[in-house]
Amino acid sequence: MEWANQLCENRQFGSKMTDSKYFTTTKKGEIFELKAELNSDKKEKKKEAVKKVIASMTVGKDVSALFPDVVNCMQTDNLELKKLVYLYLMNYAKSQPDMAIMAVNTFVKDCEDANPLIRALAVRTMGCIRVDKITEYLCEPLRKCLKDEDPYVRKTAAVCVAKLHDINAQLVEDQGFLDTLKDLISDSNPMVVANAVAALSEIAESHPNSNLLDLNPQSINKLLTALNECTEWGQIFILDCLANYTPRDDRESQSICERVTPRLSHANSAVVLSAVKVLMKFMEMLPKDLDYYSTLLKKLAPPLVTLLSAEPELQYVALRNINLIVQKRPEILKHEMKVFFVKYNDPIYVKLEKLDIMIRLASQANIAQVLAELKEYATEVDVDFVRKAVRAIGRCAIKVEQSAERCVSTLLDLIQTKVNYVVQEAIVVIKDIFRKYPNKYESVIATLCENLDSLDEPEARAAMIWIVGEYAERIDNADELLESFLEGFHDESTQVQLQLLTAIVKLFLKKPTETQELVQQVLSLATQDSDNPDLRDRGYIYWRLLSTDPVAAKEVVLAEKPLISEETDLIEPTLLEELICHIGTLASVYHKPPSAFVEGSRGVMHKRLPARTGSGESTESPDVGTAAGGSAPEAAPSIIPSQGDLLGDLLNLDMAPPTTSGPPPPTTGMQMGGMDLLGGGLDSLLGGDIGGSPAMGAGFGAAPAVMPASLNAPVGGGLGDLFDLGGVGMPMGAYIPPKIVWLPAMKAKGLEISGTFARRAGVIQMELILTNKAMSVMTDFAIQFNRNSFGLAPAGPLQVLTPLGPNQTIEVSLPLSTVGPVMKMDPLNNLQVAVKNNIDVFYFSCQYPISMLFVEDGKMERQVFLATWKDIPNDNESQFQIKDCHLNSDAASSKLQGSNIFTIAKRTVEGQDMLYMSIKLSNGIWVLAELRVQAGNPNYTISLKCRAPEVSQCVFQCYEAVLKN
Amino acid sequence: MIGGLFIYNHKGEVLISRVYRDDIGRNAVDAFRVNVIHARQQVRSPVTNIARTSFFHVKRSNIWLAAVTKQNVNAAMVFEFLYKMCDVMASYFGKISEENIKNNFVLIYELLDEILDFGYPQNSETGSLKTFITQQGIKGQTKEEQSQITSQVTGQIGWRREGIKYRRNELFLDVLESVNLLMSPQGQVLSAHVSGRVVMKSYLSGMPECKFGMNDKIIIDKAGKGGVTNEAGKSTSGKQSIAIDDCTFNQCVRLSKFDSERSISFIPPDGEYELMRYRTTKDIILPFRVIPLVREVGRTKLEVKVVIKSNFKPSLLAQKIEVRIPTPLNTSGVQVICMKGKAKYKASENAIVWKIKRMAGMKESQISAEIELLPTNDKKKWARPPISMNFEVPFAPSGLKVRYLKVFESKLNYSDHDVIKWVRYIGRSGIYETRC
C-alpha cells in the first residue's frame, strides 16, 4: 500500500511540474506556436496544446483564432482531450457559428456511443452551445437520450431540455420535449426525477400561466417518494417545487407536512431550509386548534437553531430567513433567545443579523438578559455593530415598557463613556423614548445637554434639537442652546435645519417674550437665505401662522403628538408573506421580492401563502372573526411608511399634501401596488425613518365601525367557499363597449375612425376601424397619445401595412401600455389622440372605460380589505345608484369578475345581499366597493372607497356599463 | 440557478472560470474582483449584489470561490454547493491553494462539468466521482463497469459502490464534541452548548446494513415505558440518558425511519465520513471553570488573576490546555507568575498565553500577572475581550454514549460479531469564554 501511495504522489508531483506552467506562457508568438502544436501528430503534444489554450481562455486571453485547430482535435478517443475541446467549444462557438457546425457530426456520433458517459457528455455539451444551427441538429439526439436506457444519460438529457428552452423555447414546445420531460417525473430513477423537476420548474417560471408543472395529488405523491431516495441536491429541487403547490385542503396539507418533516434532520442546510419553506407555507392551511399544528411548531425550532452551527456564510443565510420566520410566527423561536447571543469571533455580518433577531425576540421574560448582552456589545470594536447595539437598547425600551427605566439608565451609562458615536446613537434613541413615554424620563435632559458639543452627525444633532425644542419650558437656557446651533445654520444638513426651525418656533410659542429676536432670525434664515424649497415652505407657513393667528399656531405646532409604535421595521405583511414563500432563496436574503433584482419575466410572479380552507364543516372561517374582532395588532400592521403620498405622486393628482398628523398611512395592499410600480423603490419605503414617523393610532381610532361590524357577524359555513369565488366563477370576459365613431370623415379629410377599448388576456387594446372615404389612397399611418391620467401609450406602432384604398376599411388593434407620461385629465378617462397619415395629422379625443385598467391580480385579501376599508377616511366614500338592473347577486358578481372586479366576500342580511369587492388599477390604486342588491329591487346601491376619490365616478360608470351589458 | 463559478487568488487573478448561463458575461468576473476582492472595506456580507447580479463567495485560505447568478436561486444551496466543491477538490488534491489549483485546473474543469450542469448541482460524492473522473481516461472500461458507474452516480446509494471486499471487517467510531461556553465574570452560565459529531471509518465488505444506537433520552424512555428492561437496568440507563436538542444526518441515513422510530439505520459509505451531527444544551459537563479577577490599579497598571478548575473524574487527564488572557492595546510590559505550565505575553496577539500540557480532574491552578500600561489620551475604554480557553478531554461533555452499532450483511458470510469495532470519545473546547 505504502509504495502505491508513494507512486501516486510522485505522479502527481510530475503533473504538478507540467500543469501550472500553462498559466505562465506570455510570449508574443504564442498563438502561432499553439497552432503548430495543435496540428502536431503526437497525441500528447496535442493535449498539452489544448491545455494551454484552456489556461489562456481562463485568464481572459482571446484564443478564438485557434477555433478550427482546436475543433480538429475533437475526433479522439481520449476522453480527457475530448472534454477539453468541448470546454473550448462552449466558450467560443457563439462567436464562430459557422465553424461550430464542423463539430456537429462528432456530437451526433458521440450521442450514439456505446459508453453512456460519452453519450451524456455529448448531449450535455451540445446543449451549452448556443448556436441556432447546432440546436437544430440537437433535437434528434436529445429525443433519443431522453429515452435512453441508462439513467445517467436520461438525467443529463432532462437538464438539456431546460438548456434548449433557454435558447429556443418555441422549438422545445414544437418538438414535444415538454411532454417527454413531464413523463420523466414518473421515472424509476430518483435522480432523473429530480432533474426533470428542476428543469420543469425553471421552464414553468418563464411561462407563469402555463400549467406545465401540473401538480396534483398523484404527482405530488411521486415527488414525495422520490424525495426519500435522491441526492441532497435533488431533494432541494423537489422541495422547492413542492412549495409551489397549493394543497386542496388541510388534510392533504397535513399529510404532505408529515412526509416532509423528516428532511429537517438532513445534514445539508439547504434541504432543511427548503423543508422549512414547505412547512411554513402549508402550515397556513392547518387549523390552529389542531394538535398537529402545535407539534409542527415545536418541531421547527431545533433545526433552525442547528443551522446556526453551520459555516458563517450559511449562518448568514439562515439568520436572514429566521428574521422572516420570527416576524411571521414569533412563537416558534420565542424561547431560543440565547442562541442568538453574539459570539466574539462571529463575522460582522452574522453579528448584525443576530442583533436584529434578538430585538425581535425581546420580551418581558427575557429582557434582563438581553439588556446585559446589549450593554456588553456596546463596548465592542466594530462601529456599525456598536451603533446598532445602542439603537437596540432604545428599541427594547420602546418595545417592553417594564424595561424602559433600565434601558434609559443603561443608555446614560453609555453616554458617560464619552465615546463619540455611542453618545450620538444614544441621544437619537432617547428622543424616541421621550416620544413613547412623554413626561417620564425628562430628568435626564441635563445629562444630554452636557454632550451638545460632541454631536457632529446630523441625525444626532437633529434629535438633540428636537429634545430642546420639545422641552423648552424645562430647559432654562434653551434659547442659548438653540442660538448656538443657529450660528452655522447654512452649513447644517437639511434635517438639522428643519428641526432647528421647528424647535425655535416651539420655543417662541412657549416663551414668547424672550425669544422674539431668535425666531425672526431663524425665519429669515429659512425663508430668505435658503435655496431649499422644503425649508422655505416650512418657514413661510410658520411665519404666516405666527403673524395671522398665534393661537392657531400654538394649536398646530404644539399639538399633541401621536405615540410612536413599537416595531418600526417590520416587513410589510404582504411582502412578508411573499418572502416566506421564498425561504432559502436570494429573495429571503435580500428581503426583497424577486422582481426587485431579477431581470425579465423570471420569478416576477408574486407568490402568496395559501388561504386557510377546510375540508369539512370545521372551518367556521376563524380568520374573519379574529381579524375583524378588533385584534388590531394582528390585523393592522404597524408599519410606518416614509413620508410622501406615493399614490398621489404616481397619479399626479392633486391630493392634499401630507401633514404631520396626516392622513393615515396606506395599508398593506396599497403599498404593494405602489411598490410594484417603483421596482427598486422598496428600500426607501421600508427604510426605518423613525424621526418623521406619524403613528398609526390616530388613523385607526377614527375609523368607521360600519364595515367591520358587518363582516364580523357570523356568516355561516359557506363563507370559505365564497371566498374562493375567484377560482370558481366562470370568467365571462371583460366588458367591451361597442365601437363608436371617434373621428368623422368630414373632419379628417376623408378618414373615418371608429373604435373601442378592450382588455384581452391582460393586455389593453385599442381596437380601431379605419375607413377611407376619400378618393385617394392613404398610407403612412401613425398614432400618438397626449399625456393622460393613467399613462396610456401605444405599446407599438400602428400596424397598417397595406395602403388604404378609397372606400376600403381596415380593422387594427393597437396594444397599449400604461407606462407613458402622466397628466391628470378632465374627465379622468379622457384620451387625446393624434393620427397621422400621408395627407395630414388629425386630432380627436375619446373616453375609455376605466375597467380596462383593472388588473388581474386585483383580488385583495380579506384582512387587507378590512384594514384598508377602515383605513380610508369616510370622506373618500361615494355612493351611487344603479337603476334597472335585473341580475341576482351571484350573476352580477361573476359578470363583474370578467372585468377584473373581484368579489371578496358576500353576506346576506334581511334579504339584502352585500358584495364586497376590490379592484386594482394598473397604476396600483385600489378601489374597494360594497354593492347592495335587494332581491326584487332592480336598483342597486354601490359605495366606493378609494384613496384617490377622483376615480370613483369612472369606476361607477364601469359598474353600470358592465352590469347592464 | 448558478450562472457561473469563478476561483480567484488573493490578488483577484482568475484561476478558474466556468460560465453555465448565457446571462453571465465576462464582465461579471471583473465586477467581483473590483467590488469585493479589491474593496477597501472589510467584507460585510457573503452575498453581494452588483448591477443586478448576485455573487456568493467563500474563502479558503487566500483563495476566493465565487458563484454568480442573475436569478432568484436557493442561496443556502449555493453555499452548500461551494463547501461541497471545496471538499471534493480537497479530496482530489489536498489543500486548496493557488498552486494546487493551477496544477489541477484541467481536473477542476472536468469536475465542474460533472457536478454542475446548467447550474444545477449533480451528484458530488467523491466516492462515486473518483470512479470515473480520474484524469487518466476511462478507455479501458468494460461495458459492465460503465453501467456500474452510471448506476452508482444516479442510484439510490450513490455513496457506495458494490463489490467492496475487506479481509478484516473493521470500523472505527469517533464521538467528537466541541463544548461551547459563555460565562459571566460572576460565574453565571450565559450560554452553553455542545455540538457533536459522530465520525465513522468503515472498512466493511459488501453492502452492509448498519444500525446505530446511543443513550438518546427519547429512545431510553420509550424502552423504559415498554417495561422490557428490568427495574435495575432502567434506573441506571435512565439516569445516563441525554436529551438531544437536534441532530442532522449524513445522506446515507434513512430520515423517515428516524422520524418515525427514532432509529438510525443506514448503508455506510466506504472509508471515512461524518454519520451525524447533534447539539445538546442540557446537563452539560463543563470540563473547566475559569475564575477571572481583573483590578485596575491607577491608570497605568492592571492586576490580573485567573484560576482554572478542572471538573471531571480525577482518573482522567485533560490535554493541550491553553488559556488566553487578553491585554489592552497600550500594554508596555507584563510580569507573569504561574504555578503550573508555561505562560508568555505575546505582544503581537495582545494576550497572555498560558499553556499546560496535562491536567487531571478535580484540580486547580492559578496564574497572576501584572500588566503595565502606557498612559494614553484615548477616551475609548478597553473593550475587555473575554478570556478564552482551549483543551481536549477524553470523554464526551454532553454525556453521549454509544450503546451499539450493529452490522448486518446477509449476502456475505460475516456477522455482527466478526466485525472489529473501536469507539473513542474526544471532547474539545469550541468557543469557551469567560468574560472578565
Side-chain angles (χ1 to χ4, degrees):
Chain A
M1 276 305 268
E2 196 55 46
W3 62 268
N5 277 338
Q6 200 77 45
L7 196 72
C8 263
E9 247 162 51
N10 280 342
R11 240 181 43 80
Q12 227 176 18
F13 189 70
S15 77
K16 234 177 230 175
M17 296 321 288
T18 49
D19 270 17
S20 61
K21 72 163 189 259
Y22 304 126
F23 280 87
T24 52
T25 44
T26 46
K27 281 171 284 173
K28 261 194 175 170
E30 198 187 347
I31 297 276
F32 293 101
E33 251 173 56
L34 283 171
K35 212 179 181 85
E37 284 174 36
L38 284 169
N39 291 316
S40 154
D41 295 333
K42 286 177 195 154
K43 271 189 181 172
E44 232 5 75
K45 203 157 194 184
K46 259 188 185 177
K47 197 163 131 186
E48 296 299 297
V50 178
K51 280 190 184 179
K52 280 185 206 165
V53 173
I54 302 287
S56 310
M57 193 174 88
T58 299
V59 294
K61 278 182 212 158
D62 183 14
V63 283
S64 60
L66 295 166
F67 199 91
D69 309 284
V70 178
V71 171
N72 271 337
C73 303
M74 191 171 164
Q75 281 281 11
T76 172
D77 46 4
N78 182 321
L79 198 64
E80 191 192 1
L81 179 58
K82 192 174 259 219
K83 282 183 178 172
L84 287 172
V85 175
Y86 281 179
L87 191 63
Y88 179 89
L89 265 175
M90 284 186 262
N91 245 341
Y92 285 115
K94 218 178 166 187
S95 56
Q96 313 250 349
D98 294 328
M99 301 269 225
I101 294 297
M102 291 162 55
V104 165
N105 261 334
T106 320
F107 278 128
V108 175
K109 220 176 93 199
D110 280 357
C111 286
E112 310 259 324
D113 198 286
N115 185 340
L117 292 171
I118 292 187
R119 292 203 295 278
L121 177 67
V123 77
R124 182 164 71 212
T125 313
M126 228 170 151
C128 296
I129 297 178
R130 305 175 63 91
V131 174
D132 281 342
K133 284 179 197 155
I134 290 207
T135 45
E136 283 168 29
Y137 290 101
L138 175 60
C139 292
E140 278 324 298
L142 178 57
R143 199 184 315 281
K144 272 185 207 151
C145 288
L146 280 167
K147 304 211 158 122
D148 200 290
E149 52 169 19
D150 194 292
Y152 184 75
V153 180
R154 289 202 301 277
K155 72 111 183 162
T156 313
V159 175
C160 190
V161 175
K163 291 180 187 168
L164 190 58
H165 186 270
D166 194 40
I167 305 170
N168 189 343
Q170 196 57 46
L171 186 69
V172 170
E173 273 174 53
D174 295 347
Q175 295 279 335
F177 285 140
L178 294 182
D179 293 322
T180 324
L181 200 53
K182 276 193 215 165
D183 293 344
L184 288 185
I185 290 193
S186 317
D187 199 284
S188 58
N189 184 294
M191 193 151 174
V192 177
V193 178
N195 275 5
V197 166
L200 276 174
S201 305
E202 177 162 351
I203 295 171
E205 250 180 41
S206 47
H207 297 278
N209 296 321
S210 73
N211 201 15
L212 204 53
L213 259 172
D214 178 28
L215 294 177
N216 52 50
Q218 288 78 37
S219 58
I220 289 291
N221 197 27
K222 280 179 199 155
L223 292 185
L224 286 167
T225 312
L227 186 62
N228 286 325
E229 295 165 350
C230 61
T231 64
E232 44 194 334
W233 315 117
Q235 299 188 14
I236 300 169
F237 304 152
I238 291 179
L239 287 168
D240 284 352
C241 172
L242 270 181
N244 290 325
Y245 176 65
T246 310
R248 288 161 311 171
D249 53 42
D250 53 345
R251 273 176 218 154
E252 190 186 4
S253 183
Q254 175 174 348
S255 83
I256 295 176
C257 287
E258 278 166 356
R259 292 178 69 178
V260 166
T261 21
R263 298 299 118 197
L264 293 175
S265 310
H266 202 285
N268 187 314
S269 311
V271 175
V272 176
L273 268 179
S274 290
V276 169
K277 165 165 60 192
V278 174
L279 297 175
M280 282 293 284
K281 200 176 162 189
F282 290 6
M283 225 162 135
E284 287 290 309
M285 296 183 67
L286 301 177
K288 284 189 177 167
D289 47 3
L290 200 69
D291 286 344
Y292 181 69
Y293 178 84
S294 41
T295 322
L296 197 53
L297 274 183
K298 269 185 217 132
K299 276 195 178 170
L300 275 171
L304 287 174
V305 174
T306 299
L307 291 177
L308 298 184
S309 45
E311 290 86 344
E313 291 87 3
L314 268 176
Q315 275 188 50
Y316 173 74
V317 174
L319 285 164
R320 293 292 282 173
N321 279 288
I322 289 173
N323 199 326
L324 298 173
I325 293 168
V326 164
Q327 288 184 57
K328 179 74 192 160
R329 296 191 177 278
E331 63 271 32
I332 294 179
L333 288 167
K334 67 180 173 202
H335 298 304
E336 304 287 349
M337 170 63 93
K338 273 189 180 177
V339 298
F340 298 102
F341 284 178
V342 171
K343 292 184 193 132
Y344 193 72
N345 292 324
D346 280 338
I348 182 68
Y349 49 81
V350 169
K351 284 187 177 174
L352 292 172
E353 292 307 318
K354 281 188 174 171
L355 196 50
D356 230 28
I357 295 169
M358 277 174 69
I359 302 164
R360 293 202 193 288
L361 291 178
S363 66
Q364 204 184 330
N366 56 25
I367 195 75
Q369 254 182 337
V370 174
L371 263 182
E373 281 295 309
L374 292 176
K375 201 175 169 185
E376 198 72 37
Y377 304 159
T379 61
E380 280 217 29
V381 189
D382 190 282
V383 176
D384 281 351
F385 180 60
V386 170
R387 284 174 179 273
K388 199 164 181 171
V390 177
R391 242 166 228 245
I393 298 175
R395 278 172 58 189
C396 286
I398 290 166
K399 196 171 173 195
V400 185
E401 187 163 356
Q402 293 81 356
S403 77
E405 194 155 347
R406 220 169 334 161
C407 293
V408 171
S409 78
T410 309
L411 286 170
L412 284 179
D413 286 352
L414 289 172
I415 288 178
Q416 298 304 343
T417 63
K418 304 278 182 198
V419 179
N420 188 293
Y421 52 84
V422 174
V423 174
Q424 309 211 41
E425 283 302 325
I427 286 182
V428 172
V429 294
I430 287 181
K431 179 207 71 184
D432 289 339
I433 297 178
F434 283 169
R435 287 213 42 199
K436 170 82 181 180
Y437 309 109
N439 307 319
K440 220 168 162 188
Y441 300 110
E442 280 73 16
S443 53
V444 308
I445 290 177
T447 325
L448 302 186
C449 289
E450 287 166 19
N451 292 288
L452 219 52
D453 300 333
S454 61
L455 308 180
D456 53 10
E457 287 160 25
E459 206 185 349
R461 286 173 84 83
M464 191 65 219
I465 292 169
W466 182 88
I467 293 173
V468 174
E470 187 67 18
Y471 299 102
E473 68 272 24
R474 305 189 198 188
I475 305 171
D476 294 335
N477 59 345
D479 49 344
E480 283 170 34
L481 293 176
L482 291 176
E483 200 171 358
S484 68
F485 281 105
L486 208 52
E487 281 161 18
F489 189 76
H490 288 299
D491 301 329
E492 300 282 2
S493 73
T494 313
Q495 190 186 8
V496 179
Q497 289 175 334
L498 286 168
Q499 208 56 261
L500 192 53
L501 173 62
T502 308
I504 293 181
V505 172
K506 281 183 192 164
L507 173 69
F508 171 71
L509 289 167
K510 288 174 179 173
K511 299 180 183 172
T513 45
E514 310 129 58
T515 55
Q516 203 150 10
E517 204 175 310
L518 194 61
V519 81
Q520 263 163 4
Q521 210 180 334
V522 76
L523 287 175
S524 85
L525 277 171
T527 53
Q528 285 158 23
D529 301 342
S530 170
D531 296 333
N532 183 327
D534 286 344
L535 186 63
R536 265 200 325 252
D537 286 356
R538 196 185 282 191
Y540 277 123
I541 289 170
Y542 282 143
W543 200 325
R544 232 162 269 172
L545 258 175
L546 291 172
S547 55
T548 46
D549 190 351
V551 181
K554 207 161 188 167
E555 265 168 39
V556 171
V557 179
L558 300 181
E560 198 165 311
K561 273 159 281 299
L563 292 182
I564 62 172
S565 84
E566 284 180 10
E567 301 273 3
T568 44
D569 58 348
L570 281 180
I571 292 174
E572 184 273 333
T574 338
L575 177 61
L576 181 62
E577 291 210 344
E578 190 179 353
L579 292 179
I580 291 285
C581 300
H582 287 293
I583 283 179
T585 69
L586 264 180
S588 71
V589 174
Y590 292 146
H591 289 184
K592 286 181 185 175
S595 53
F597 61 92
V598 175
E599 276 164 11
S601 60
R602 269 206 183 110
V604 173
M605 220 184 20
H606 291 291
K607 295 191 178 177
R608 290 276 173 273
L609 290 175
R612 197 164 307 226
T613 51
S615 55
E617 315 300 315
S618 62
T619 53
E620 278 289 296
S621 54
D623 272 4
V624 182
T626 51
S631 67
E634 211 184 307
S638 30
I639 297 295
I640 298 177
S642 40
Q643 261 153 348
D645 195 326
L646 239 161
L647 292 159
D649 289 345
L650 281 170
L651 237 191
N652 229 3
L653 296 177
D654 275 328
M655 293 174 70
T659 55
T660 36
S661 57
T667 33
T668 57
M670 315 284 292
Q671 268 189 338
M672 267 317 276
M675 219 134 49
D676 289 344
L677 283 165
L678 280 182
L682 205 78
D683 283 332
S684 62
L685 251 178
L686 295 175
D689 180 5
I690 308 172
S693 46
M696 289 293 287
F700 272 92
V706 191
M707 173 67 193
S710 54
L711 261 188
N712 197 9
V715 197
L719 201 59
D721 297 337
L722 268 170
F723 283 141
D724 267 339
L725 266 178
V728 183
M730 281 293 290
M732 300 181 54
Y735 159 70
I736 301 167
K739 292 195 173 71
I740 52 166
V741 176
W742 283 336
L743 183 68
M746 286 167 57
K747 281 191 176 173
K749 301 188 178 161
L751 173 67
E752 187 189 82
I753 301 180
S754 57
T756 184
F757 293 91
R759 186 181 183 92
R760 295 184 202 276
V763 180
I764 305 171
Q765 284 179 333
M766 186 181 202
E767 300 184 342
L768 298 162
I769 296 178
L770 308 178
T771 312
N772 184 354
K773 294 198 170 171
M775 304 300 286
S776 55
V777 177
M778 294 177 179
T779 54
D780 301 330
F781 284 92
I783 193 164
Q784 226 173 0
F785 294 175
N786 196 2
R787 296 205 286 170
N788 53 72
S789 313
F790 294 93
L792 284 173
L798 190 61
Q799 300 284 346
V800 185
L801 298 174
T802 49
L804 195 59
N807 274 328
Q808 260 191 322
T809 295
I810 187 168
E811 285 202 39
V812 216
S813 80
L814 176 72
L816 306 184
S817 70
T818 53
V819 293
V822 174
M823 183 174 77
K824 192 191 171 190
M825 300 296 291
D826 191 24
L828 208 58
N829 55 347
N830 198 16
L831 181 67
Q832 295 176 332
V833 185
V835 172
K836 188 190 86 108
N837 62 11
N838 57 334
I839 299 165
D840 206 340
V841 184
F842 312 105
Y843 302 93
F844 63 91
S845 68
C846 52
Q847 292 184 7
Y848 47 89
I850 204 169
S851 61
M852 71 180 197
L853 297 168
F854 297 172
V855 294
E856 278 67 26
D857 62 340
K859 188 167 184 178
M860 205 180 242
E861 291 200 24
R862 280 172 283 159
Q863 276 113 316
V864 180
F865 184 91
L866 277 173
T868 314
W869 184 278
K870 276 198 266 176
D871 201 9
I872 300 178
N874 273 352
D875 296 347
N876 284 12
E877 185 173 350
S878 18
Q879 249 192 25
F880 303 93
Q881 292 279 331
I882 300 174
K883 295 207 167 82
D884 286 313
C885 195
H886 298 278
L887 296 165
N888 67 21
S889 59
D890 288 350
S893 153
S894 68
K895 203 163 185 180
L896 288 166
Q897 174 149 3
S899 295
N900 292 338
I901 300 172
F902 297 95
T903 304
I904 301 198
K906 180 186 162 184
R907 187 170 95 81
T908 311
V909 175
E910 297 169 355
Q912 192 176 34
D913 285 340
M914 318 249 248
L915 298 172
Y916 297 101
M917 299 183 247
S918 75
I919 299 164
K920 186 180 168 194
L921 294 183
S922 56
N923 58 357
I925 290 191
W926 288 88
V927 181
L928 276 45
E930 183 199 46
L931 184 69
R932 292 181 202 204
V933 182
Q934 182 94 47
N937 183 351
N939 297 342
Y940 296 177
T941 312
I942 179 160
S943 306
L944 295 173
K945 263 195 159 188
C946 177
R947 282 185 204 286
E950 288 91 325
V951 302
S952 299
Q953 181 67 35
C954 296
V955 172
F956 160 63
Q957 285 167 2
C958 282
Y959 265 99
E960 195 160 45
V962 172
L963 288 172
K964 289 193 177 172
N965 286 285
Chain B
M1 281 305 117
I2 297 173
L5 206 138
F6 309 131
I7 302 181
Y8 303 82
N9 66 8
H10 67 287
K11 284 185 254 172
E13 290 163 355
V14 193
L15 303 178
I16 298 286
S17 120
R18 174 75 158 94
V19 172
Y20 294 94
R21 297 271 174 149
D22 203 35
D23 53 3
I24 303 297
R26 181 84 202 174
N27 52 356
V29 183
D30 302 323
F32 182 76
R33 178 192 11 254
V34 173
N35 289 288
V36 180
I37 302 182
H38 291 172
R40 294 229 175 98
Q41 287 163 336
Q42 189 196 354
V43 185
R44 300 304 265 199
S45 159
V47 187
T48 327
N49 192 310
I50 307 164
R52 292 200 151 215
T53 309
S54 299
F55 295 82
F56 300 75
H57 74 263
V58 300
K59 258 186 108 174
R60 287 290 179 273
S61 63
N62 51 13
I63 297 294
W64 298 75
L65 281 94
V68 196
T69 183
K70 284 208 160 191
Q71 302 178 19
N72 181 31
V73 298
N74 188 319
M77 183 185 79
V78 176
F79 279 124
E80 284 283 6
F81 177 78
L82 287 176
Y83 301 144
K84 192 73 175 195
M85 176 77 206
C86 292
D87 291 349
V88 171
M89 288 197 293
S91 81
Y92 265 96
F93 52 76
K95 190 172 176 267
I96 295 173
S97 64
E98 179 169 354
E99 203 197 347
N100 277 347
I101 287 173
K102 280 186 172 172
N103 285 333
N104 293 286
F105 81 98
V106 173
L107 169 74
I108 295 174
Y109 276 124
E110 202 177 332
L111 285 171
L112 281 176
D113 198 44
E114 185 60 43
I115 59 180
L116 262 189
D117 191 4
F118 201 39
Y120 290 109
Q122 304 292 307
N123 191 333
S124 41
E125 289 304 310
T126 40
S128 57
L129 284 175
K130 279 187 175 166
T131 58
F132 70 107
I133 296 189
T134 55
Q135 283 287 286
Q136 286 151 49
I138 46 168
K139 217 171 102 192
Q141 287 161 342
T142 64
K143 209 161 177 217
E144 286 74 49
E145 279 171 332
Q146 286 165 4
S147 72
Q148 204 187 342
I149 290 172
T150 57
S151 76
Q152 197 205 331
V153 175
T154 58
Q156 294 182 19
I157 307 167
W159 54 86
R160 189 180 180 93
R161 68 191 166 88
E162 301 224 16
I164 297 173
K165 280 224 168 70
Y166 286 99
R167 211 148 43 93
R168 201 157 95 131
N169 288 303
E170 202 169 11
L171 59 85
F172 299 86
L173 205 61
D174 281 349
V175 176
L176 307 174
E177 296 198 336
S178 94
V179 53
N180 299 274
L181 168 76
L182 183 63
M183 193 174 254
S184 77
Q186 292 75 35
Q188 184 195 0
V189 177
L190 296 174
S191 74
H193 74 273
V194 168
S195 56
R197 305 187 301 146
V198 177
V199 176
M200 239 175 117
K201 260 184 251 169
S202 62
Y203 305 105
L204 302 170
S205 308
M207 285 298 224
E209 177 77 44
C210 296
K211 216 173 160 190
F212 174 71
M214 52 190 178
N215 57 340
D216 177 2
K217 197 167 178 211
I218 297 179
I219 298 238
I220 303 234
D221 287 358
K222 234 194 224 165
K225 264 180 211 147
V228 185
T229 47
N230 59 23
E231 201 55 39
K234 194 175 150 189
S235 64
T236 51
S237 64
K239 198 176 158 195
Q240 282 168 5
S241 66
I242 61 161
I244 292 175
D245 288 23
D246 189 36
C247 43
T248 61
F249 296 99
N250 184 290
Q251 60 170 321
C252 66
V253 175
R254 294 187 188 86
L255 294 179
S256 36
K257 205 150 186 194
F258 178 75
D259 194 60
S260 54
E261 305 161 23
R262 219 170 158 90
S263 76
I264 303 166
S265 62
F266 55 98
I267 293 172
D270 194 40
E272 184 169 347
Y273 62 96
E274 187 180 289
L275 177 67
M276 73 177 281
R277 281 178 182 231
Y278 56 91
R279 189 167 43 84
T280 71
T281 45
K282 285 192 194 77
D283 303 324
I284 293 170
I285 307 158
L286 295 170
F288 285 96
R289 160 96 202 267
V290 177
I291 305 159
L293 205 80
V294 180
R295 205 160 66 92
E296 290 177 40
V297 187
R299 288 184 62 88
T300 58
K301 203 170 146 192
L302 274 179
E303 278 180 11
V304 180
K305 197 175 114 181
V306 176
V307 179
I308 59 169
K309 283 183 180 170
S310 58
N311 175 34
F312 45 88
K313 271 192 242 163
S315 57
L316 298 175
L317 272 182
Q319 292 183 19
K320 298 177 194 167
I321 301 148
E322 182 186 297
V323 181
R324 186 171 283 265
I325 304 162
T327 56
L329 295 174
N330 55 337
T331 302
S332 61
V334 177
Q335 273 107 47
V336 215
I337 308 161
C338 59
M339 316 301 265
K340 221 176 160 214
K342 279 181 192 157
K344 227 186 214 165
Y345 166 62
K346 294 198 172 165
S348 58
E349 294 166 40
N350 286 312
I352 299 167
V353 180
W354 176 25
K355 288 183 177 169
I356 305 170
K357 278 203 183 116
R358 254 172 245 104
M359 188 166 171
M362 295 321 213
K363 288 268 178 0
E364 192 175 307
S365 193
Q366 173 180 331
I367 184 172
S368 42
E370 270 185 27
I371 302 170
E372 308 273 351
L373 301 175
L374 290 171
T376 54
N377 301 327
D378 202 358
K379 271 187 197 168
K380 218 169 119 182
K381 251 178 65 184
W382 178 46
R384 282 206 186 182
I387 295 174
S388 58
M389 227 191 134
N390 288 316
F391 53 80
E392 200 180 293
V393 289
F395 59 89
S398 68
L400 183 128
K401 289 259 157 45
V402 176
R403 290 173 58 217
Y404 57 79
L405 201 148
K406 292 177 194 152
V407 181
F408 311 95
E409 167 57 316
S410 46
K411 287 189 194 138
L412 299 173
N413 54 347
Y414 70 92
S415 73
D416 187 38
H417 300 294
D418 304 330
V419 181
I420 305 158
K421 301 169 192 169
W422 307 87
V423 184
R424 176 166 69 161
Y425 298 91
I426 301 175
R428 292 199 183 95
S429 53
I431 294 165
Y432 204 83
E433 293 177 337
T434 307
R435 287 181 179 157
C436 58

